Amino acid sequence: MDVRQMNTTALAYIGDAVYETYVRQYVMHDNASNVDVLHKRAVAFVRADGQAFAIKKFVREKEDIEAPSEGAFRLTDDEAAIVRRARNHKISSKAKNADAMTYKWATAFEALVGYLYLLEEKERLELMINTAISAIEKERSQK
C-alpha cells in the first residue's frame, strides 16, 4: 500500500485514533483518577478547533522560511501536500461542533497524523503531536 497515495479520509480515520491515544497518555500525567476529569481535559486537544489551530500553525511555520520560531515543527513538502489534499477533499459528513472550514483543517491534521503513523515515522509523529499539544495548551492557557 502506498501511503502517499491513500485517500486522505482513510488517513484521517487512523490518525484520529492515533492522536486520541497520545492525548489520553498526555492527560493521564495529571494523575487524575476521575475519568470524567480526564475526558474534559482531553477534549481541548481533540476538538476540531484545537486540531485546526495546530495544523494552521504548522502551515504558517512552513511558509515562514526566513524566521521560524524556535523548536517549530516544519512541514516537509510531502507532508504539506497531504495537508493540502486533505483540506481540499470534499467532505461528505457534517461536523457536530465546528464550521466546515475548521472541520477541513482538523481533518487535514488527522490525515497528517495517519500519514506519519502508517509510514512508521515515529520520531516525526511524536514531534508533531507534542508540538501540537504544547501549542494547544499554550493557546488554552491564554484564554
Side-chain angles (χ1 to χ4, degrees):
M1 127 175 104
D2 184 1
V3 176
R4 288 167 182 79
Q5 300 303 316
M6 279 185 76
N7 181 308
T8 56
T9 304
L11 291 173
Y13 174 76
I14 190 72
D16 176 54
V18 170
Y19 180 63
E20 176 117 12
T21 301
Y22 275 92
V23 166
R24 287 180 180 209
Q25 288 176 327
Y26 176 76
V27 300
M28 290 289 294
H29 285 100
D30 289 346
N31 294 323
S33 58
N34 183 317
V35 175
D36 291 333
V37 171
L38 291 169
H39 175 72
K40 287 177 184 172
R41 178 109 167 80
V43 165
F45 301 102
V46 298
R47 284 178 51 113
D49 58 344
Q51 294 175 351
F53 171 79
I55 197 70
K56 286 178 185 178
K57 187 169 180 51
F58 299 156
V59 169
R60 281 194 307 269
E61 294 293 347
K62 168 115 179 93
E63 293 168 355
D64 189 10
I65 301 299
E66 297 302 315
S69 57
E70 190 174 324
F73 174 85
R74 294 180 66 190
L75 296 172
T76 66
D77 290 341
D78 287 344
E79 292 164 354
I82 291 293
V83 168
R84 207 171 19 262
R85 273 186 40 224
R87 190 187 69 223
N88 293 332
H89 187 84
K90 183 178 179 191
I91 54 175
S92 57
S93 59
K94 183 167 175 0
K96 230 180 356 181
N97 298 311
D99 62 76
M101 280 312 297
T102 301
Y103 185 68
K104 283 184 164 210
W105 278 105
T107 301
F109 176 88
E110 291 172 346
L112 181 57
V113 171
Y115 172 77
L116 292 172
Y117 175 78
L118 291 174
L119 285 178
E120 299 179 0
E121 295 280 345
K122 187 173 180 178
E123 280 185 43
R124 185 88 178 134
L125 173 66
E126 290 182 353
L127 174 62
M128 181 217 161
I129 290 174
N130 291 334
T131 304
I133 288 172
S134 293
I136 294 166
E137 186 84 81
K138 183 177 178 183
E139 173 72 10
R140 198 173 136 243
S141 70
Q142 292 176 351
K143 287 184 176 181

